[in-house]
Amino acid sequence: MITIKSRREFDRMQVAGACVAEIHRTVRDAAVPGATLLELDALARKVLENRNCTPSFLGYHGFPAVLCLSVNDVVVHGIPDDYRLRSGDILAVDAGAIYEGFHGDAAFTMGIGEITPEARNLIDVTKRAMWAGIRLTQPGVRLGDIGATIEGIGLEAGYGVVRDYVGHGIGRQMHEEPQVPNYGTFGKGMKLRKGMAICIEPQFTAGGEETSVDADGWTVRTADGSLAAHWEHTLALTSDGTMVFTEGEEPLAVDLVDWSTIE
Ligand code: MG
């Protein structure tokens, strides 16, 4: 079911989104060579507590942590453990928060210490693809337009565009209708409308698009062992225009984005 959110509901999602943004800033600063994934998870937990939010992921179908931390060939859903980050790693940080029953959900990928130019490019292109999808998001646009745009950027760069995991609607549930694929056909798919909120979350790999899941039932890896990057934001189609809820302390109006800093 697609839910149409009221202004009051969007206000709650914005508080959850600002919490996610603070988690991102906190983890970005702390993710240095030698830090463990469990330490990062504990920092996220503190931010949630300070902001009277609860974690979206902890306990979700039994997920055991606050963050999904996905290192190198892990695409998504990595479980924080005592792994110590090393210079040259790439780390995807996915965080979700609930405020008064409403979710925010966002991810970024960063390099730890010195990373290769190839890894840097994978991270940057995946981020650019997310923002290209965000730029299109407004009432009347079709999901196929967003998916095809994201897919085109990945394929043009020679990357695998993961199809096994997709973006989603968000609100009272972390995962609502519609699915928001990172692939598609221009002019096809559902039209977005005012009151919807979606997460756009491309996952690109330096190799093929195929993935496999570890025996823990969560950790999703590239089937060929290549590096993967993941970026995600929560977006709301409000009566004041499209807003990114998970970028900072305040909603970011997509109309006001300086695209020269992103593309
Ligand atoms: Mg998501």
Side-chain angles (χ1 to χ4, degrees), residues 105 168 175 199 201 232:
D105 180 13
H168 49 92
H175 294 141
C199 291
E201 51 175 321
E232 175 180 22

Side-chain angles (χ1 to χ4, degrees), residues 120-136:
R120 182 78 259 156
N121 196 60
L122 173 67
I123 293 171
D124 291 348
V125 170
T126 312
K127 180 182 187 182
R128 186 152 54 83
M130 174 190 68
W131 280 106
I134 291 171
R135 190 174 187 171
L136 288 177

